[in-house]
Amino acid sequence: MGEIYKINSIDWRPSPVVALATSVDGLRVAAARQDGSLELWLVSPGSIGWHCQLTIHGDPTTRVSSLLWCPGGSNGMPCGRLFSSNIDGSVSKWDLFHLKQTTVLDSDGVSIWQMAVTFPKVDLVNNVPNGDVMGNGYASKIQESDEQESSDSDEDNDSPDAGKQSVLESPRVAIGYDDGSVRIYAISDEDEFLYVKSLPRVKGRVLSVTWSTDANYIYSGSSDGLIRCWDATSSREIYRITAGLGGLGGGHELCIWSLLSLRSGTLVSADSSGSVQFWDSKHGTLLQAHSLHKGDVNALAASPSHDRVFSAGSDGQVILYKLSSQSASSDSVNPLVMTKKWIYVHYVRSHTHDVKALTVAVPISQEADSLPEERNKRRRLEGKPVDLNYHKWSQFGVPMLISAGDDTKLFAYPVKEFTKFSPHDICPAPQRTPVQLVLNTAFNQSSMLLVQSRQWLDVHLLHLGNVRTAGCFTKTEILARVKTKESRKIACSTIANSGEHFAYSDNARPSLFELKRSEVGKITWSVSRKKLPPRLPFAHSMIFTHESSWLILAGHDRRIYVVDVSTSELVHAFTPCRELDDEKLPPKEPPITRLFTSSDRQWLAAVNCFGDIYVFNLETLRQHWFISRLDGASVTAGGFPPQNNNVMIVTTSSNQVYAFDVEAKQLGEWSMRNTYVLPRRFQEFPGEVIGLSFPPSSTSSSVVIYSSRAMCLIDFGLPVEQDESDMLNAQESLTRNLQQNFTNVKKRTKYRRNFDVFSLDNPVLFLAHVSKNSFFMVEKPWLEVVKRLEAPPVHKHIFGT
């Protein structure tokens, strides 16, 4: 290991998470961010870091208020269909196959706060509950005499049979609106939201809504401090609860932010006074009240067994409540009576800002390979690894809680062992800023850096000599900044190795630019836009060929376009396919999200969002090979080493490394020999692999693989050594020395071995070789990122005070 050139001046501002939801199969978690993007995280305990399977860049002007998954649909994907309600009053579908957001319910100008889905049973239609159930000081008869106060329009008085067939055949969605109404829709297999009925409008905003577990009732919470129970068939109000009676506040200043219905018949509410209250949903009576949050309680979640409930709020806390059986004396005949109560158990404060969302997921087993028994046996025989806190509880079928909020982070907790283990940081570098380095450009062999932000690109000139700032950071100089429109967001970008051209694509179209340098008098830099072929679609990924003559774009229409930079003409359009004879057919494969090329401009590798790889020959302009997803895992990084352009290196979300012989269309000799015997220190590599870098030396056979938390040196010319206890101790010592003086790490031949892992102090956004023994790194201390977030840190503000 040689010298490290670092910069931390990159403007990295990840967006807050506003909503979470777990897929129908329980294996994926969708996270909606405030900037309009949506991430799909694959829950996998097989590696320490989770894997972000795909990102959809949605409308940046539309803010998501809630997410829900629904089974069925024309595609029939096991994870289900994903919908979001939006603050502007619309409902969107997130197409996970085409990576796009589409509106399925237009806005009528009234904001949506929350929506909830249920799957009705046929026999529920005739099951009309008794309307004389007494509530918390209110009964259904009061509602009849107070009809003018509760209902503002005739449209609320729908017939119970309205939309009966849709209700029976399709999932139903209850949507809470800002005008005090709750509207019921049925979701068709074509993803249409079919209007069924509206519940009587109430005063205040409907902020939360949920269904009873038997789908007979709908519960709504509003900004007037009331929780209402509605008959889902007759649309009649059964009772109402004044939530403030059991908490710290009441009246019109109390907001019911979240509701949760449990199979036991308990209804849980969370409000702006910091209270979490447990109610008997049959009678509307209070069971227990806990006022432990020091601010608004924003979210609730329950374990799959419904005997544990979690709450989270603006104080950054996640609190566990458990259903506990207690004995109480009664009389001489029955001296002991067992009663059940919801008791406070424990709290965790891992977030620095408001927690906005909670969900529960069940992780899948380690992404399988052909020899799972051999790997599991080897794991048991090996010594204790370094830092396996997460692996102690994250196992197949073990439920986990996920929290997220304004600090942009996602954390995972064990549902059953919440008090025993610290939270796991799912994404140490959320919304990592894309960075690309080019060396030896056409401008006096200088080095340049392309940095992508949401709405602009920056081109930096790097001074990689001996000029350093305080703290041993490399000096940079911004040469150019190119902005897109405010209503758009940049999805991908790239810069040519010559440094003379760079490009980006937003959600409307791709753009190509030329960078020029004038040396007449004072040196100045100028940027001009270059034409691209007409009707090019916007792209999910783009890259220049090694000699900078072609720009390759992976369009959202699932084709790959090759453009000649000098003539601005379309050279070819590839249609990725599984069978090579299907190249002339319309696109059927998922969108391409990663591209990388060989330095001799012969090979282009394209990876779709689910992990399939397509290899194209740029000389013959034909598809050469199709590689199905490796062990069912997604591809996290890849590339062609400059020493051998026929070799393709790929890493996967299951922490595997593959070396392919592209010319021969087969797995390389190294992978055939070593794929299933990789050392455990790499199998448990901290964090998701986000990139790899090859040394420029023609004699090197190594590659550096890195995540935001660590880096690993792999030498394909050295044997793969297994873990031993004494070697682990040596690794720990090396890591400590590396952390103490990372800017000037010498090559330690005494401890050097294959698959050495080096921990990193700060989140790393980018890492690349500058020379054989020197690296360039973009890092950012997380505390600096937190200080620049738009949302304020954890506070004790209570709504209305």
Side-chain angles (χ1 to χ4, degrees):
M1 198 74 66
E3 191 170 16
I4 302 294
Y5 300 93
K6 295 194 297 182
I7 65 169
N8 65 359
S9 57
I10 299 299
D11 187 16
W12 174 30
R13 298 188 186 184
S15 180
V17 178
V18 295
L20 293 174
T22 303
S23 62
V24 174
D25 57 11
L27 310 182
R28 295 165 179 84
V29 170
R33 294 190 180 269
Q34 189 171 296
D35 64 357
S37 63
L38 181 131
E39 299 168 352
L40 189 65
W41 289 86
L42 185 65
V43 186
S44 176
S47 57
I48 289 182
W50 283 25
H51 171 60
C52 186
Q53 190 174 37
L54 55 89
T55 299
I56 303 177
H57 298 282
D59 185 356
T61 63
T62 302
R63 178 172 174 176
V64 171
S65 57
S66 67
L67 292 170
L68 67 80
W69 290 86
C70 177
S74 56
N75 290 333
M77 297 179 68
C79 60
R81 297 172 285 172
L82 179 61
F83 300 93
S84 70
S85 63
N86 307 311
I87 292 296
D88 66 358
S90 63
V91 175
S92 301
K93 178 193 175 184
W94 297 85
D95 191 329
L96 306 181
F97 190 83
H98 299 93
L99 303 187
K100 64 180 181 179
Q101 176 189 12
T102 56
T103 300
V104 293
L105 182 64
D106 291 325
S107 172
D108 60 359
V110 182
S111 297
I112 297 176
W113 286 93
Q114 197 175 76
M115 59 181 180
V117 67
T118 191
F119 314 108
K121 302 175 183 178
V122 175
D123 59 354
L124 293 180
V125 175
N126 298 320
N127 185 12
V128 181
N130 185 359
D132 293 328
V133 178
M134 292 297 296
N136 181 11
Y138 297 88
S140 59
K141 294 181 180 179
I142 297 180
Q143 193 271 337
E144 294 174 4
S145 62
D146 199 24
E147 185 175 354
Q148 284 186 336
E149 177 183 337
S150 299
S151 179
D152 294 331
S153 64
D154 295 332
E155 69 177 7
D156 295 330
N157 300 320
D158 293 288
S159 168
D161 295 327
K164 181 177 179 180
Q165 187 171 357
S166 299
V167 167
L168 293 177
E169 297 177 353
S170 304
R172 289 176 293 169
V173 175
I175 303 180
Y177 284 86
D178 194 71
D179 62 357
S181 65
V182 175
R183 303 175 198 173
I184 315 299
Y185 292 86
I187 307 178
S188 70
D189 287 340
E190 290 73 32
D191 303 325
E192 297 176 305
F193 271 56
L194 307 175
Y195 176 77
V196 177
K197 65 175 73 175
S198 292
L199 303 181
R201 187 174 298 169
V202 302
K203 289 185 177 180
R205 305 168 176 174
V206 177
L207 304 175
S208 54
V209 63
T210 191
W211 293 80
S212 63
T213 54
D214 59 7
N216 280 338
Y217 305 99
I218 299 172
Y219 305 101
S220 65
S222 52
S223 59
D224 58 3
L226 296 179
I227 302 170
R228 293 175 171 85
C229 174
W230 306 90
D231 183 282
T233 303
S234 65
S235 304
R236 188 159 56 97
E237 182 180 316
I238 305 302
Y239 61 77
R240 66 183 68 168
I241 299 171
T242 302
L245 296 181
L248 293 178
H252 298 291
E253 295 179 345
L254 188 69
C255 294
I256 312 298
W257 290 123
S258 185
L259 292 172
L260 184 65
S261 178
L262 305 179
R263 286 192 297 270
S264 62
T266 300
L267 178 68
V268 190
S269 66
D271 58 51
S272 58
S273 71
S275 299
V276 175
Q277 302 178 74
F278 297 82
W279 310 88
D280 181 340
S281 64
K282 183 177 180 180
H283 303 94
T285 54
L286 181 66
L287 300 177
Q288 276 94 38
H290 298 276
S291 300
L292 302 171
H293 284 280
K294 299 176 176 62
D296 299 49
V297 187
N298 300 317
L300 296 169
S303 65
S305 58
H306 281 207
D307 60 351
R308 291 173 173 85
V309 169
F310 300 89
S311 64
S314 61
D315 56 358
Q317 291 188 106
V318 177
I319 296 179
L320 167 63
Y321 312 89
K322 185 178 180 180
L323 185 61
S324 176
S325 297
Q326 298 179 351
S327 59
S329 60
S330 177
D331 50 40
S332 58
V333 179
N334 298 306
L336 292 178
V337 177
M338 298 300 294
T339 62
K340 292 187 175 181
K341 289 187 176 182
W342 288 94
I343 62 172
Y344 162 78
V345 178
H346 187 61
Y347 82 94
V348 173
R349 182 181 281 128
S350 54
H351 291 273
T352 58
H353 289 62
D354 294 18
V355 183
K356 291 296 181 65
L358 294 174
T359 191
V360 172
V362 179
I364 64 175
S365 61
Q366 179 163 357
E367 295 171 281
D369 52 51
S370 58
L371 298 173
E373 295 180 1
E374 177 182 343
R375 176 180 297 172
N376 291 336
K377 182 178 179 181
R378 175 171 57 82
R379 280 176 174 270
R380 288 193 295 270
L381 293 176
E382 291 171 346
K384 182 180 178 181
V386 180
D387 185 19
L388 264 191
N389 184 34
Y390 176 64
H391 282 273
K392 290 180 181 178
W393 62 265
S394 179
Q395 304 295 333
F396 171 69
V398 176
M400 61 170 62
L401 174 75
I402 299 99
S403 66
D406 284 348
D407 64 357
T408 75
K409 290 265 194 172
L410 285 84
F411 286 95
Y413 318 73
V415 166
K416 294 183 179 180
E417 298 178 308
F418 183 76
T419 62
K420 295 182 180 180
F421 297 100
S422 300
H424 170 64
D425 191 348
I426 294 173
C427 52
Q431 288 192 313
R432 179 175 53 92
T433 299
V435 177
Q436 185 178 345
L437 173 69
V438 289
L439 304 171
N440 304 321
T441 65
F443 303 107
N444 296 331
Q445 301 295 300
S446 58
S447 300
M448 292 183 178
L449 196 70
L450 182 72
V451 180
Q452 174 186 317
S453 298
R454 296 178 193 172
Q455 293 183 320
W456 64 80
L457 289 181
D458 285 337
V459 180
H460 296 256
L461 181 66
L462 296 182
H463 300 283
L464 296 179
N466 296 322
V467 181
R468 302 293 182 91
T469 61
C472 298
F473 290 104
T474 300
K475 283 189 175 181
T476 63
E477 175 187 351
I478 294 183
L479 303 181
R481 170 171 288 188
V482 174
K483 295 184 178 181
T484 186
K485 294 183 178 179
E486 291 186 2
S487 59
R488 301 177 185 175
K489 186 168 60 174
I490 296 177
C492 59
S493 60
T494 185
I495 185 170
N497 286 327
S498 66
E500 295 176 314
H501 294 92
F502 61 94
Y504 76 81
S505 178
D506 53 27
N507 54 358
R509 63 177 184 178
S511 298
L512 175 64
F513 300 90
E514 183 177 9
L515 181 65
K516 293 182 179 180
R517 175 179 177 176
S518 174
E519 298 187 7
V520 178
K522 185 178 180 180
I523 297 177
T524 59
W525 298 83
S526 62
V527 175
S528 59
R529 185 187 294 267
K530 295 198 65 175
K531 287 186 178 181
L532 286 173
R535 295 184 294 277
L536 271 184
F538 71 85
H540 295 300
S541 180
M542 53 174 50
I543 192 173
F544 285 94
T545 52
H546 190 266
E547 83 297 342
S548 308
S549 61
W550 285 356
L551 173 64
I552 303 174
L553 307 95
H556 81 96
D557 61 354
R558 295 177 288 165
R559 285 188 170 93
I560 300 174
Y561 296 89
V562 181
V563 177
D564 190 301
V565 175
S566 59
T567 63
S568 298
E569 294 181 354
L570 182 64
V571 176
H572 190 72
F574 293 107
T575 302
C577 53
R578 294 174 177 265
E579 301 294 335
L580 301 186
D581 297 333
D582 296 341
E583 286 184 274
K584 296 182 180 179
L585 297 177
K588 298 180 180 179
E589 296 297 292
I592 301 300
T593 54
R594 285 182 173 85
L595 296 169
F596 38 93
T597 62
S598 61
S599 58
D600 62 354
R601 210 185 78 167
Q602 181 178 7
W603 305 115
L604 165 68
V607 185
N608 69 26
C609 54
F610 296 104
D612 299 315
I613 305 174
Y614 315 85
V615 181
F616 302 92
N617 191 321
L618 294 178
E619 293 181 350
T620 62
L621 296 178
R622 293 183 60 87
Q623 182 170 330
H624 176 73
W625 192 17
F626 169 75
I627 306 173
S628 182
R629 60 200 66 171
L630 304 163
D631 298 331
S634 299
V635 174
T636 56
F640 293 87
Q643 301 80 19
N644 189 343
N645 289 285
N646 287 326
V647 173
M648 179 175 65
I649 308 298
V650 167
T651 62
T652 68
S653 56
S654 59
N655 277 13
Q656 289 289 335
V657 179
Y658 296 90
F660 292 96
D661 186 332
V662 177
E663 183 71 41
K665 297 184 181 180
Q666 66 182 18
L667 202 62
E669 181 182 349
W670 183 90
S671 285
M672 291 181 181
R673 187 172 61 250
N674 297 312
T675 294
Y676 300 108
V677 293
L678 297 183
R680 183 177 54 180
R681 58 183 178 272
F682 180 74
Q683 291 286 314
E684 291 155 357
F685 186 66
E688 175 187 351
V689 174
I690 58 177
L692 51 83
S693 176
F694 300 101
S697 172
S698 59
T699 60
S700 176
S701 59
S702 64
V703 62
V704 168
I705 292 173
Y706 67 96
S707 70
S708 59
R709 299 171 56 190
M711 58 189 291
C712 177
L713 175 65
I714 302 176
D715 194 328
F716 296 100
L718 295 178
V720 176
E721 300 173 352
Q722 296 303 310
D723 294 279
E724 298 176 6
S725 58
D726 58 336
M727 297 182 72
L728 282 173
N729 293 333
Q731 172 62 33
E732 291 176 347
S733 175
L734 176 60
T735 302
R736 285 194 296 269
N737 292 337
L738 182 62
Q739 292 172 340
Q740 292 172 1
N741 190 13
F742 192 73
T743 59
N744 190 19
V745 180
K746 302 295 183 181
K747 185 176 180 182
R748 294 175 173 87
T749 56
K750 179 180 179 180
Y751 294 122
R752 188 187 175 191
R753 55 179 176 154
N754 213 357
F755 287 91
D756 263 342
V757 176
F758 305 96
S759 299
L760 304 172
D761 286 334
N762 299 314
V764 171
L765 307 180
F766 177 78
L767 185 146
H769 281 84
V770 175
S771 63
K772 182 178 180 180
N773 294 317
S774 299
F775 294 89
F776 171 77
M777 177 188 296
V778 179
E779 66 169 13
K780 192 80 170 180
W782 181 246
L783 288 180
E784 292 186 14
V785 179
V786 169
K787 292 177 181 178
R788 297 177 63 85
L789 295 177
E790 296 180 4
V794 164
H795 54 85
K796 298 182 180 180
H797 168 71
I798 295 180
F799 184 87
T801 62

